[in-house]
Amino acid sequence: MLITLLILATTLALVLGAVWGLYGPFPAHVEGFMVALAGGALIVSVVAELLEPAARDAPLWIVLSGFAAGAGVFTLVDIWLDRHADGSSGKGLLAAVVLDGIPENLALGVVLVSSDAKGVLALAASIFLSNLPEAAGGAREMTGKGHSRLKVLGLWSLTAMVLSASALAGYALLSPAQITLIAVVQSFAAGAVVSSLATEVFPTAYREDHKATGFAVALGVALAFGLHQFGG
């Protein structure tokens, strides 16, 4: 029950962010700063909560192969989506957000199985921070393309449910005894998250708030590293 509540709380940031973007003030530079902050935090979580544990439990060639596979699969699907999905439609935007969010939430599910409370908290906080501005900016963009606020809010609520399911799947389908399989999934999710940071997160942050992007990323790294080290 506690695991389910944690996952729901993380993806609830998508709904809260959508409400923020639809009904509240949301300056572009605030979006850029928050996206960069979350991206910096995710860098630490990818290394500390995914790659390092995977390297302890599996040969390095397996970890690096899984990492490359995750990055490659994300890139190929992203290319396909750009070519075939209509970004102006609700369906196309939903597909883009789900593609970006699935690796993060799959990683969260795996960390729930394989890590301690400190690691779970670090990754969950990073994902929460990234979901808020992403949903706010996406919701604002969708209303600008003619979608009603009610439709947009419903679409982001659906997205939250899909991503919650991916996190629950990562948790439910694995057990602590499956050490090598967990390492493969960890490294695969790490590669996909890094690819999404490079192609989606940091370009968005720089476009919206290029003057403070570097500082925001560094601040996110520092906060996540401090949280990871706390009590360690």
Side-chain angles (χ1 to χ4, degrees), residues 19-28 30-31 136 140:
V19 171
W20 182 16
L22 291 172
Y23 300 102
F26 190 67
V30 173
E31 176 186 1
R140 184 182 58 186

Side-chain angles (χ1 to χ4, degrees), residues 1 8 12 17 19 32 41 43 56 62 74 105 117-118 150-151 161 164 174 186-188 209 219:
M1 184 62 178
L8 291 177
L12 180 63
V19 171
I43 291 174
R56 287 196 298 265
I62 290 181
F74 181 92
N105 287 276
K118 181 177 59 177
L150 184 60
K151 179 179 179 180
M161 288 189 287
S164 293
L174 296 171
Q186 284 172 325
S187 55
F188 183 92
D209 187 28
L219 181 60

